[in-house]
Amino acid sequence: MNDGFVRVASASPIIKVADVDFNTDEIMKLIDDAIDKDVSILVFPELCITGYTCADLFFQEPLIRSSMEKLVILKKYSLGKDILFVVGVPIKYKNALYNCAAVICNGKILGVVPKTYIPNYNEFYEQRWFSSSETIINDTIVIDSEEIPFGSSILFRHSEYEDLCVGIEICEDLWSPLPPSTIHAINGATIILNPSASNDLVGKSSYRKALVSSQSAKTITSYVYSSSGFGESTTDVVFGGHCLIYENGTKLEENKRFMLESTIIYSDIDIDKLMADRIKMTSYSNHLTNRFDSEYMLIPFDLTLKEHNTIDRFIDPSPFVPKNQEKRSKRCQEIFSIQTLGLAKRITHIGCEKVIVGISGGLDSTLALLVCAMTYDLLGKDRKNIIGVTMPGFGTTDRTYNNAISLMNHLGVTIKEISIKNACLVHFEDIGHDPNDHSTTYENVQARERTQILMDLSNKYNGIVIGTGDLSEMALGWATYNGDHMAMYSVNTTIPKTLVRYLVRWITEYKVGKDAKAVLLDILDTPVSPELLPPDKETGKIKQKTEEVVGPYELHDFFLYNMLRFGFSPKKIYRLALQAFDNQYTPETIKKWINTFYRRFFMHQFKRSCMPDGPKVGSICLSPRGDLRMPSDAVSKIWLEEIKDI
């Protein structure tokens, strides 16, 4: 199996109106092109065998007869070709003519789906020629001496990979208040193919894309759209040949319109991703089948789903951070607003005047302090009620200490400096620990001493301790139990490390004055470190760097997002990472850190089970009161065994 990826394509051939020979030849050329690209599923435009703009020529028996002959030729042409494709063709059924989509695979016409909503307004006159499928549920028609399923309630499902299920709707069907694809999806369709003939007017392409995007998101499907292009009659309108591939609201591929030659676009869609969202969204399974009780016909098809060396789609190496600067700025503004509003609610609810924040000079505590400052501004409270506490220890460098003091001064908060060195030395003596033994005990004594100071100050000043730890640290358990992972309210708890930096940079650009900006820029340039081990003896700089111990946060955030957002297996995440971080990390490096990620994620669940409250800002939350309900003692064997086989 191919990790759930299926390569689809949308094609818009040049055509000649009523020239079925020319049109069929162009269709076959594009089929061969798609096969060369290992495409599994391909859709052509509405009525592409004849042309959409034949008008009253649809009343001519020779056109209908010859189009059926070409449909049979396409059926025979498909024999031995490992592809499922859909072509548009007019078909007589009983006493009416229908605008249909024929589904063909490996020498068989699997089924024929007639159009449901027939437009008859503005420039459209389809009801003059075609009837609606509204009264047809399931029936059969005879094509080339074979009985073929015919109707609007038909789905086409892969014989082995049952989650690959194809539904068809035609052009105007999408524009209706209740598109057939909605019911198709409820009944299991994960891919919607739309053979269309949508003319181009000023602004229509944007609306068309919005429709496709919205419908694919509503139905949690991949939506593959193909519209007529060059060659259709320009009697009244022009067709730009618009081709689109969307997945759950996100555009994967789009062609350039108004081309003078045939066009085709490709992309790999992720069926596993769609199914993960459907399973997680319980409102999807609580669907309206009791109100839509039509009997669906499921037609199986066989197709080799190839595993490609390269996935034909963009794999975002930073899924938490938008690449587009404008989108990123809006995202940061929204997140910062969620953080400040969440803290404002907590402060007003419990009626406290003061908050206590430990300030290290690092990114996480900086973001937490900035949230506190802006929250107090929002509430009209004096920033002096924010007590920033710097607690130098054995690993504190001059750089981080000076940045902590400078930042608090620039923000106008109350500053307290309490060294933890003497208290830790006394505690080492009490527990019989050699202070020259820089073990986990040495580090955690410092972390817990700092937390004790903050908690006791909260009692002294009748305030609350604001936690600074972020999502990535909690996922990896990179926080001292009953130490820095404890707080009364944590503002960064659902923000991944890769996003923290961008948030602080955004605040630096838009929310603070010139003096504070200089300090924040230096904090942004400081290596990530808990500073629990002594600095380098020769340079006095930070020696203990987090990412050298637990691994690059950009990798861990990538693993975390794909594991929790979609439930992907380690094997699939590894494959995605290989492409996302191509030429940045070797396969051996990615395998090493994905092993570390899963081991630590399972090992440290007990820390997450008692996380402090904090605002959820995105789709990933580790709180047991939020998105993640996980046993404290789950065994990671299944996941780690799979990593061994990579």
Side-chain angles (χ1 to χ4, degrees):
M1 192 49 72
N2 57 348
D3 288 335
F5 290 106
V6 177
R7 186 159 295 173
V8 299
S10 171
S12 183
I14 58 171
I15 68 121
K16 292 182 179 180
V17 178
D19 189 342
V20 295
D21 292 328
F22 178 87
N23 299 340
T24 302
D25 286 344
E26 285 301 310
I27 290 169
M28 289 191 292
K29 288 176 187 176
L30 287 167
I31 290 171
D32 290 342
D33 193 352
I35 290 171
D36 287 343
K37 298 293 193 304
D38 285 337
V39 168
S40 295
I41 295 174
L42 169 64
V43 61
F44 289 97
E46 181 178 11
L47 296 170
C48 58
I49 291 178
T50 58
Y52 176 75
T53 52
C54 288
D56 282 2
L57 293 179
F58 285 122
F59 292 140
Q60 298 294 313
E61 191 275 338
L63 181 67
I64 304 304
R65 172 174 38 80
S66 60
S67 66
M68 290 300 292
E69 290 170 356
K70 294 303 177 184
L71 180 64
V72 173
I73 286 174
L74 286 171
K75 178 193 77 166
K76 294 176 179 177
Y77 183 75
S78 72
L79 184 62
K81 292 180 168 58
D82 210 16
I83 190 170
L84 179 149
F85 61 90
V86 174
V87 291
V89 61
I91 289 182
K92 286 193 299 184
Y93 171 75
K94 295 184 177 177
N95 301 312
L97 187 65
Y98 292 87
N99 179 343
C100 296
V103 182
I104 301 173
C105 183
N106 195 19
K108 292 182 179 180
I109 300 174
L110 299 179
V112 174
V113 178
K115 189 173 182 177
T116 299
Y117 295 96
I118 311 299
N120 220 59
Y121 57 89
N122 296 338
E123 62 268 31
F124 298 105
Y125 305 97
E126 274 192 52
Q127 288 183 18
R128 180 177 174 88
W129 311 294
F130 297 109
S131 296
S132 169
S133 71
E134 201 168 24
T135 58
I136 305 169
I137 304 301
N138 290 320
D139 207 334
T140 59
I141 56 173
V142 176
I143 300 176
D144 195 30
S145 303
E146 292 182 298
E147 279 203 355
I148 308 296
F150 180 81
S152 56
S153 297
I154 299 176
L155 296 178
F156 305 88
R157 189 167 68 184
H158 194 277
S159 55
E160 294 182 3
Y161 186 28
E162 293 189 353
D163 288 339
L164 171 51
C165 186
V166 178
I168 313 290
E169 66 183 5
I170 303 172
C171 198
E172 185 74 11
D173 292 347
L174 170 63
W175 300 67
S176 68
L178 184 60
S181 56
T182 299
I183 318 303
H184 294 341
I186 285 172
N187 283 276
T190 50
I191 299 176
I192 302 297
L193 305 181
N194 186 326
S196 186
S198 182
N199 63 303
D200 277 276
L201 304 170
V202 173
K204 189 175 181 180
S205 65
S206 297
Y207 187 70
R208 186 187 297 127
K209 287 194 288 185
L211 275 179
V212 174
S213 173
S214 174
Q215 188 64 5
S216 72
K218 267 199 325 180
T219 56
I220 313 181
T221 56
S222 173
Y223 202 106
V224 189
Y225 178 96
S226 167
S227 186
S228 302
F230 185 73
E232 290 285 2
S233 174
T234 58
T235 304
D236 294 303
V237 293
V238 167
F239 295 84
H242 207 180
C243 295
L244 299 165
I245 301 173
Y246 275 75
E247 181 182 275
N248 198 6
T250 300
K251 184 176 74 175
L252 300 183
E253 197 62 62
E254 177 183 10
N255 72 333
K256 184 179 180 181
R257 294 179 296 142
F258 306 115
M259 303 298 289
L260 299 182
E261 64 272 348
S262 299
T263 63
I264 186 167
I265 58 173
Y266 318 87
S267 186
D268 288 336
I269 60 170
D270 193 341
I271 301 293
D272 289 352
K273 194 173 182 180
L274 296 171
M275 292 305 298
D277 272 349
R278 288 185 177 188
I279 291 169
K280 187 176 290 186
M281 189 185 295
T282 53
S283 56
Y284 198 95
S285 60
N286 296 332
H287 50 60
L288 307 177
T289 47
N290 58 325
R291 287 164 55 185
F292 300 107
D293 56 2
S294 60
E295 291 293 328
Y296 261 78
M297 184 184 298
L298 287 173
I299 300 176
F301 66 92
D302 292 313
L303 207 60
T304 302
L305 299 177
K306 304 175 185 68
E307 184 168 329
H308 309 105
N309 293 328
T310 302
I311 303 165
D312 193 354
R313 61 187 284 159
F314 173 66
I315 308 298
D316 193 346
S318 303
F320 292 108
V321 184
K323 290 289 176 289
N324 179 276
Q325 187 172 351
E326 183 180 352
K327 287 183 180 179
R328 189 166 63 237
S329 181
K330 288 181 179 179
R331 176 79 56 86
C332 289
Q333 182 175 21
E334 187 173 25
I335 291 172
F336 196 62
S337 297
I338 292 171
Q339 288 178 285
T340 53
L341 199 65
L343 180 57
K345 166 61 180 175
R346 179 54 57 95
I347 289 171
T348 55
H349 178 71
I350 62 179
C352 74
E353 288 296 319
K354 299 184 186 298
V355 294
I356 294 86
V357 194
I359 307 301
S360 67
L363 276 173
D364 288 343
S365 65
T366 294
L367 178 57
L369 183 61
L370 290 165
V371 170
C372 291
M374 301 307 169
T375 301
Y376 270 66
D377 293 348
L378 180 67
L379 294 171
K381 292 179 179 289
D382 189 345
R383 287 187 182 183
K384 287 295 180 184
N385 287 314
I386 302 170
I387 301 171
V389 188
T390 183
M391 296 167 282
F394 303 116
T396 303
T397 59
D398 292 342
R399 181 182 188 180
T400 54
Y401 169 78
N402 290 330
N403 280 340
I405 296 295
S406 296
L407 180 64
M408 289 188 284
N409 273 319
H410 290 311
L411 294 178
V413 305
T414 297
I415 301 173
K416 280 196 169 294
E417 180 179 336
I418 303 173
S419 173
I420 64 169
K421 292 179 181 178
N422 289 334
C424 289
L425 289 171
V426 170
H427 190 61
F428 288 151
E429 185 175 350
D430 289 343
I431 66 172
H433 182 78
D434 181 357
N436 294 312
D437 176 9
H438 298 163
S439 62
T440 303
T441 302
Y442 178 87
E443 295 186 47
N444 286 353
V445 162
Q446 296 174 72
R448 292 193 179 103
E449 177 60 27
R450 285 175 172 142
T451 301
Q452 176 176 269
I453 290 169
L454 295 174
M455 292 291 181
D456 292 345
L457 286 174
S458 73
N459 296 144
K460 179 178 174 66
Y461 291 106
N462 194 29
I464 59 172
V465 176
I466 303 302
T468 63
D470 62 49
L471 178 77
S472 308
E473 291 180 343
M474 279 298 177
L476 295 167
W478 191 250
T480 299
Y481 185 70
N482 206 28
D484 54 313
H485 99 299
M486 299 299 293
M488 282 87 171
Y489 195 78
S490 185
V491 293
N492 298 338
T493 190
T494 58
I495 301 175
K497 186 72 80 176
T498 48
L499 187 55
V500 169
R501 186 174 300 278
Y502 284 98
L503 274 166
V504 173
R505 190 174 298 280
W506 177 81
I507 296 165
T508 302
E509 293 177 5
Y510 298 105
K511 293 289 185 179
V512 299
K514 182 178 179 181
D515 293 336
K517 187 174 290 189
V519 179
L520 288 171
L521 287 173
D522 194 61
I523 290 172
L524 283 163
D525 197 43
T526 303
V528 177
S529 172
E531 290 195 311
L532 295 173
L533 296 179
D536 185 272
K537 290 181 180 179
E538 295 181 3
T539 64
K541 294 182 179 180
I542 294 171
K543 185 177 181 180
Q544 183 186 24
K545 297 178 181 178
T546 299
E547 291 180 290
E548 292 179 358
V549 180
V550 296
Y553 275 117
E554 62 181 348
L555 281 178
H556 288 308
D557 284 354
F558 182 86
F559 302 151
L560 178 67
Y561 179 83
N562 284 287
M563 176 199 182
L564 290 188
R565 178 68 179 82
F566 303 113
F568 290 161
S569 68
K571 181 183 176 184
K572 181 163 183 172
I573 296 173
Y574 172 76
R575 186 183 178 203
L576 292 171
L578 287 178
Q579 183 160 323
F581 296 98
D582 186 33
N583 297 324
Q584 189 173 348
Y585 295 103
T586 65
E588 292 75 22
T589 299
I590 294 173
K591 183 176 180 180
K592 171 187 174 182
W593 293 122
I594 197 172
N595 186 78
T596 297
F597 170 79
Y598 276 96
R599 181 175 51 81
R600 293 190 67 95
F601 185 85
F602 278 84
M603 184 185 301
H604 294 283
Q605 166 56 21
F606 71 98
K607 293 182 182 178
R608 295 190 292 272
S609 68
C610 51
M611 282 173 58
D613 289 349
K616 179 181 177 182
V617 304
S619 58
I620 304 296
C621 176
L622 300 177
S623 169
R625 300 167 301 281
D627 290 345
L628 186 65
R629 288 164 178 80
M630 182 175 165
S632 299
D633 305 303
V635 177
S636 59
K637 180 181 178 182
I638 294 173
W639 292 264
L640 295 178
E641 286 292 333
E642 184 170 313
I643 292 170
K644 288 180 182 178
D645 294 334
I646 291 174

